[in-house]
Amino acid sequence: MTALDIKLFRDVMRLWAQVLAIALVIGGGVATLILAAGSHRSLEETRAAYYERYGFADVFAQVKRAPRALVDRIAEIPGVAVVDTRISKLALLDIPGFAEPASAQFVSLPDTGEPMLNRLYMRTGRLPEPGRAEEVVVNDTFARAHGYAPGDRFKAILNGKKRELTIVGTALSPEFIYTVGPGDLMPDDRRFAIVWMSEKALASVYDLEGAFSYVSVKLQRDASEREIITRLDALLDSYGNQAAHGRKDQTSHAWLDHELDMLNNMSRTLPPIFLLVSAFLVNLTLSRLVALEREQIGLLKALGYSNGSILLHYTKFVVLLVLIGIGLGSVIGTWLGLRVTALFGEFFHFPFLAKAPDLYLIAGGLSAVAAILGAVRALREVVKLPPAVAMQPPAPPAYRRLLPRGFALEKLVSQPTMMMIRNISRHPLRAVFTALGMALATAILVVSLFTRDTMEQLIEVTYFLSDRQDATIGFVEKRIENVVDQVNRLPGVLAAEPFREVPVRIRHGNVERRITISGRPADASLRRIIDVDLQPVVLPESGLAISGMLGQILGVRVGDTVEVDLLEGARRTVALPVVATVEDYFGIKGMMDREALRKLMRETAVVNSVNLSLDESRRDEFYAAVKSMPTVSGVALQRVSLANFRKTVALLITTMASIYTGLAAVIAFGVVYNNARISLSERARELASLRVLGFTRGEVLRILLLELAILTLVAQPLGWLMGYGLAWIMKTNLAGELMRVRLVVEHSTYLTATAVVVLAAIASAAVIRNRINRMDLVAVLKTRD
C-alpha cells in the first residue's frame, strides 16, 4: 500500500460513522432503483414471456352467434397470422356452503388438442375428455379460494338450467391474469371464476353447434392492428358484433398494464430523488472534509505529491463510499425487490418469474456517477490550493454588523445563542445547503407517505360518496324496465335503481377510445356522480358527460362535439355535444340521462343492471333468491369490492410506499447526522477553547446543537413545499385510463415527515453529546492554529 492508501484507510476508520451514514444514503438510492426498476423489469419480462409461450392473442371480438364458415374469411384478412374461435358465456354459480352468489365466464375448449391461442398452463389435473359434458377446468385462483381439487363438484345455471359440474383440473391463462366479474371493480377469486368446458358440451347447452361467440386473432409482425380491427368489424357486424378491440382494451391486459405502469412511474420518480440527495450529501461532506484537511493537502503538495495523486486519493475515498453504498443497497434492494416481485407475481398469478440481473450494473453505475458529480466541486478545490497557502490556517472570518447600531441583539438573546447566530451568518451558503439537505430529506418522506393518503381518499370518494349501493345485479341480456319491480320484490331489497350501459366507440379528430355510456336516473341516490369538489352532479336532460381523463385523451372540453359509434341495437354513428366533464377515478366513460340515452338508442325502456340497497339482516335470503334467477349473470357486492381493493391495489401501492418511507427515513438520518458530525469536526477547537474558558458541557453542547435545531426547523416549510411538488409529480405519473388518484397530502403526513427528521436530529444530537463529553481538551487544543 502507498502512503496515500494508508492515509485513506485511516481516514475511513476515523470517519467510519460518517462513511456509514453516507453509504446508507447511496445505498438507499441503489436499493430504490433495484427495488422499483428491478421489480418492474422482472414483471414486464415475465409477462412478455408468458404471452409468447402460451399464445396470447392480439385482437379480440365478442359476437352473439357467427357461423364457423366465417373463420376462413377472417384468416384471409392481410396481416392475420392465426385465428381461434370459441364459445364464451357468463353464468351464475351455486357453490355448496357458500352463501354469496358467484358467477363465471364459461369458455369452450377444443374437444381434441389445445386451443390455437390463449393456451392453458395446467396447475393440476387434466383437460376435459371428449364426450364428458360434466367435466370442467377452473382457474387456479378460484380453486384455491374454495379449496377445490380435481374431483370436487359445484353447480352452474347454464342457459336457464342448473347443471352439476365436476372439476378435473385447475389452470392459468394469459388471457385471464386479472379476472373481474360483471359489475365489479376489483378481482374476487371467491365469487368469479373462469371455467373451461368441452366445446361440444357448451355448444349443445347454448344451441351454438357450428357457430362461435368469440374470436381471437394473432397478428403477423408489422401488421396494422387498426386496419385488421376495421376489416374484422365489417365481417362480424351482422352477427351482433360488440366491436373488435386490441390488447389495450382487453380487461386483463389493460389492468396489468396499468399496475406495471404505476410501478414503472414510481421507479422513475423516487429513485432519482434519492440519488440526487446522495450526490448532494457527498458534495457537502467531501467539500467540508477537504476544508478540514487543508493543511494536510498543503503538506502533501510540499512533499512532492502531484495534483493528480491527491485528486486520485480523494476520488478513491468517494469510490469507496460508493462501493460500500452499492453493496448495502444491492443486498437491501434485492431482498425488498424479491418480496415485491413475489407479491406482484402472486397478485397477477404468473406461473413463473423472470429476472433482470443487469440492473445491478445500471444501479451501481448511476450511483457512482451521482456521487462523483457531487464530489467534482470539492475535488476542484483540492487542485486550486497552492502548498504555501494550504499550510497556512484560513483567514479569520470578518464579522460584520447585520443590524443597525442602535439595535442590540445581545440584550435579547443569550451569549451562546448569539454565537450560534454569528456562526450561521459567517457561513450563509453552507447554512443554506445544510438546510436544503434537510428539506430534501423531509420532501422524500412527504412524497413517500403521500400514496397512503391518496389511497384512503380514493376509497372514501369511490365507495362512500359515489357508489353507495350495497349490491348490483347484472343480467345476461338487457331486460325490459319492469324487471326493476321484480327485483324490488326480492327479500331484503330496500331500494332499487335501474342502470343502462351501451358499448360505444367515441372519437374526436384522430383519437378514438372504446368505452361504455351509462344511462342513469335523474334522481339517482345509490350510484352518484361526484365532481372535483366532492359534490353530487345532476346530469343534464340531453348531451353527454364524460370523464375528465377521457376529455384529456380526446382533447375536448365542454361545448365540443364528439362522434359516437353505437355498438348495440341499431348501429349508427351520431354526433353528441359534451355538456359536462366529471372527475371520476376509475376507468374512462360517458354518462347520460337515462331517458336521453333511451331516445338515442331508439328503444323502449330497458336495463342492463340494477343497483340495490339491502337490509343487512336479510342478506342470506336475498342471496338464495338471486341464485334461482336464470337471467342473472352476476352480483357485485360493494363491501366485498372494497375489501378486495384494500387487499390488492391499495396493498400493493401502500407496500411500496412503506418501503420507500423506510428508506427515506434512513436517508433523513444520514443527512442530519453528517451535518451535525461535520459541524463538530469543524468547530472542535473552538468548543474546546470555550470549555477551558469555563463554559459547561451543556453550554458548549447548546451552542452546537442550537444551530442544528434552527437549521432543521427552518428547513421544514421548504421540505413540505418540495414534498407537495413531488407528490404532484407522483400523482400525475400514477394517472392512467383505468385509475387515477387525487392530490391529497394530509396535515399528519407533514407532521410525520418532520417528526422523522426531528428524531434523526435528536439521535444525531445524542451521538454528538457523547463525543463532546469524551472530548480530550488538551489533544484538541494542541492542533496547530
Side-chain angles (χ1 to χ4, degrees):
M1 294 177 67
T2 65
L4 286 181
D5 288 337
I6 294 172
K7 176 183 179 299
L8 174 63
F9 177 75
R10 289 176 176 170
D11 284 345
V12 171
M13 296 303 294
R14 176 171 56 87
L15 301 171
W16 69 269
Q18 288 171 258
V19 168
L20 180 60
I22 298 173
L24 284 174
V25 175
I26 296 173
V30 172
T32 54
L33 194 60
I34 291 174
L35 163 66
S39 301
H40 175 261
R41 282 268 306 279
S42 177
L43 292 168
E44 189 71 65
E45 291 176 11
T46 296
R47 179 177 69 168
Y50 188 21
Y51 281 2
E52 181 67 26
R53 291 181 196 178
Y54 292 91
F56 184 49
D58 297 309
V59 174
F60 312 83
Q62 177 88 42
V63 297
K64 286 187 178 297
R65 178 192 176 98
R68 289 209 169 274
L70 212 58
V71 173
D72 291 337
R73 296 178 62 187
I74 296 173
E76 291 170 358
I77 296 175
V80 170
V82 182
V83 180
D84 193 24
T85 60
R86 67 183 188 216
I87 298 167
S88 179
K89 295 290 184 179
L90 279 170
L92 208 61
L93 303 182
D94 186 2
I95 301 171
F98 189 68
E100 297 171 355
S103 56
Q105 184 81 46
F106 276 77
V107 179
S108 67
L109 288 172
D111 292 316
T112 57
E114 292 187 331
M116 299 179 69
L117 296 174
N118 307 315
R119 293 183 293 275
L120 303 188
Y121 173 87
M122 295 301 297
R123 283 284 200 192
T124 62
R126 58 173 174 80
L127 294 175
E129 293 181 354
R132 303 296 296 272
E134 77 283 0
E135 292 187 349
V136 296
V137 172
V138 299
N139 61 315
D140 183 64
T141 53
F142 174 76
R144 284 193 289 163
H146 290 281
Y148 280 156
D152 290 333
R153 297 171 177 268
F154 65 92
K155 295 178 181 179
I157 303 174
L158 297 175
N159 202 17
K161 296 181 180 179
K162 186 173 286 190
R163 299 169 184 264
E164 188 172 51
L165 304 174
T166 302
I167 298 172
V168 296
T170 63
L172 298 174
S173 167
E175 187 181 10
F176 300 108
I177 295 173
Y178 193 100
T179 54
V180 182
D184 271 326
L185 282 175
M186 292 292 113
D188 187 347
D189 295 331
R190 298 182 313 141
R191 298 184 53 255
F192 184 67
I194 307 298
V195 180
W196 291 274
M197 191 174 184
S198 160
E199 182 171 336
K200 184 176 181 180
L202 202 57
S204 175
V205 169
Y206 285 98
D207 192 23
L208 286 171
E209 290 89 348
F212 64 87
S213 66
Y214 199 89
V215 59
S216 302
V217 173
K218 189 73 176 173
L219 306 185
Q220 297 174 0
R221 192 184 300 274
D222 302 325
S224 169
E225 180 185 280
R226 189 185 186 97
E227 176 65 23
I228 289 172
I229 287 175
T230 302
R231 299 279 296 271
L232 190 58
D233 280 341
L235 285 174
L236 298 177
D237 276 352
S238 57
Y239 300 100
N241 178 33
Q242 294 183 15
H245 57 274
R247 284 183 178 179
K248 70 181 181 65
D249 291 318
Q250 200 265 348
T251 303
S252 173
H253 177 83
W255 270 105
L256 181 53
D257 225 27
H258 176 72
E259 296 292 338
L260 292 179
D261 278 347
M262 286 200 301
L263 186 60
N264 185 40
N265 288 330
M266 292 180 80
S267 73
R268 290 187 301 173
T269 303
L270 291 180
I273 299 168
F274 281 50
L275 292 174
L276 174 65
V277 173
S278 66
F280 177 82
L281 188 58
V282 169
N283 173 269
L284 191 66
T285 302
L286 197 61
S287 60
R288 294 172 80 170
L289 181 65
V290 168
L292 286 173
E293 296 196 352
R294 172 190 178 98
E295 295 178 21
Q296 295 182 34
I297 293 170
L299 183 60
L300 289 172
K301 287 190 174 186
L303 291 174
Y305 284 93
S306 66
N307 286 337
S309 299
I310 298 173
L311 273 174
L312 181 61
H313 168 68
Y314 283 99
T315 302
K316 286 180 180 179
F317 182 80
V318 175
V319 170
L320 188 59
L321 289 178
V322 171
L323 289 177
I324 296 172
I326 290 174
L328 290 171
S330 296
V331 172
I332 296 170
T334 299
W335 180 70
L336 291 173
L338 288 173
R339 291 177 64 88
V340 169
T341 303
L343 182 64
F344 273 82
E346 178 64 20
F347 174 54
F348 294 131
H349 316 300
F350 288 136
F352 55 87
L353 286 172
K355 306 296 181 186
D358 61 313
L359 200 65
Y360 291 91
L361 296 177
I362 297 173
L366 288 176
S367 300
V369 169
I372 290 172
L373 287 176
V376 165
R377 176 175 167 271
L379 294 176
R380 190 171 66 244
E381 296 296 324
V382 172
V383 178
K384 287 169 56 178
L385 288 174
V389 175
M391 294 178 68
Q392 295 287 333
Y399 287 98
R400 292 174 298 181
R401 178 174 289 277
L402 300 176
L403 300 174
R405 289 188 174 277
F407 191 86
L409 187 61
E410 294 86 347
K411 297 180 181 179
L412 301 177
V413 298
S414 63
Q415 189 63 32
T417 303
M418 192 65 200
M419 294 173 68
M420 180 271 300
I421 294 173
R422 283 178 174 171
N423 189 62
I424 291 177
S425 64
R426 186 178 75 178
H427 302 290
L429 193 60
R430 188 177 72 188
V432 167
F433 278 110
T434 300
L436 182 59
M438 295 180 180
L440 281 169
T442 302
I444 59 178
L445 282 163
V446 170
V447 71
S448 298
L449 292 165
F450 148 75
T451 48
R452 293 188 176 207
D453 296 341
T454 195
M455 280 297 108
E456 287 304 314
Q457 181 69 13
L458 180 63
I459 288 170
E460 174 68 22
V461 173
T462 302
Y463 288 96
F464 296 99
L465 294 180
S466 177
D467 296 348
R468 306 189 301 169
Q469 72 275 14
D470 295 315
T472 300
I473 290 180
F475 301 105
V476 176
E477 301 282 352
K478 61 186 179 184
R479 308 289 295 173
I480 300 298
E481 191 175 7
N482 63 11
V483 75
V484 179
D485 297 329
Q486 299 174 28
V487 171
N488 252 323
R489 291 194 292 270
L490 292 176
V493 173
L494 301 177
E497 289 179 355
F499 206 70
R500 171 73 167 121
E501 287 189 325
V502 176
V504 304
R505 272 194 299 254
I506 187 169
R507 185 169 47 253
H508 185 259
N510 294 324
V511 183
E512 180 180 277
R513 286 294 185 273
R514 187 173 183 269
I515 66 167
T516 60
I517 295 179
S518 59
R520 308 174 183 226
D523 57 348
S525 62
L526 294 181
R527 194 169 186 180
R528 306 185 299 174
I529 301 171
I530 303 296
D531 65 14
V532 68
D533 298 319
L534 305 185
Q535 297 300 315
V537 174
V538 177
L539 289 172
E541 293 182 359
S542 62
L544 178 68
I546 61 174
S547 306
M549 173 59 76
L550 180 57
Q552 293 179 31
I553 294 169
L554 297 177
V556 299
R557 295 178 294 180
V558 174
D560 292 338
T561 300
V562 294
E563 286 185 348
V564 175
D565 299 332
L566 303 176
L567 303 177
E568 187 179 302
R571 292 164 179 265
R572 55 199 177 94
T573 299
V574 297
L576 293 176
V578 176
V579 294
T581 58
V582 179
E583 190 69 27
D584 56 356
Y585 303 102
F586 283 98
I588 52 173
K589 49 185 173 287
M591 292 145 277
M592 294 182 71
D593 178 80
R594 193 164 63 92
E595 183 61 21
L597 181 59
R598 185 191 69 76
K599 292 178 180 178
L600 179 68
M601 295 299 296
R602 299 173 180 173
E603 62 187 11
T604 59
V606 294
V607 300
N608 301 98
S609 58
V610 181
N611 297 312
L612 306 174
S613 176
L614 298 177
D615 181 349
E616 286 292 327
S617 65
R618 303 188 67 186
R619 274 187 180 270
D620 288 344
E621 295 177 61
F622 169 75
Y623 295 154
V626 169
K627 288 180 181 180
S628 64
M629 296 177 66
T631 58
V632 172
S633 64
V635 179
L637 302 176
Q638 195 72 345
R639 60 180 179 81
V640 176
S641 178
L642 173 57
N644 288 327
F645 181 83
R646 289 191 182 278
K647 188 173 69 174
T648 53
V649 178
L651 174 63
L652 294 176
I653 293 176
T654 54
T655 297
M656 294 295 293
S658 299
I659 292 171
Y660 283 130
T661 302
L663 293 172
V666 171
I667 288 181
F669 175 78
V671 171
V672 175
Y673 175 77
N674 270 280
N675 284 317
R677 188 69 183 81
I678 293 173
S679 294
L680 175 61
S681 300
E682 290 174 334
R683 303 179 65 187
R685 193 170 189 279
E686 176 187 331
L687 298 176
S689 299
L690 293 176
R691 289 280 290 113
V692 171
L693 291 174
F695 280 72
T696 65
R697 288 175 177 172
E699 290 172 327
V700 169
L701 186 65
R702 179 184 171 192
I703 293 171
L704 183 64
L705 297 186
L706 191 58
E707 178 180 340
L708 175 64
I710 292 296
L711 291 177
T712 301
L713 294 177
V714 166
Q716 296 315 296
L718 178 60
W720 298 339
L721 184 61
M722 293 168 66
Y724 188 85
L726 292 174
W728 180 85
I729 294 173
M730 178 73 80
K731 174 250 182 189
T732 303
N733 286 339
L734 290 178
E737 293 188 16
L738 290 180
M739 191 176 79
R740 277 87 54 199
V741 296
R742 289 168 57 86
L743 180 56
V744 178
V745 185
E746 301 288 353
H747 294 155
S748 59
T749 295
Y750 296 119
L751 293 177
T752 302
T754 295
V756 171
V757 174
V758 169
L759 286 174
I762 293 172
S764 302
V767 176
I768 298 302
R769 176 186 177 186
N770 186 47
R771 286 188 170 273
I772 288 179
N773 289 341
R774 293 189 291 109
M775 185 183 291
D776 187 338
L777 301 182
V778 176
V780 172
L781 290 172
K782 279 184 178 180
T783 56
R784 185 180 170 200
D785 193 352

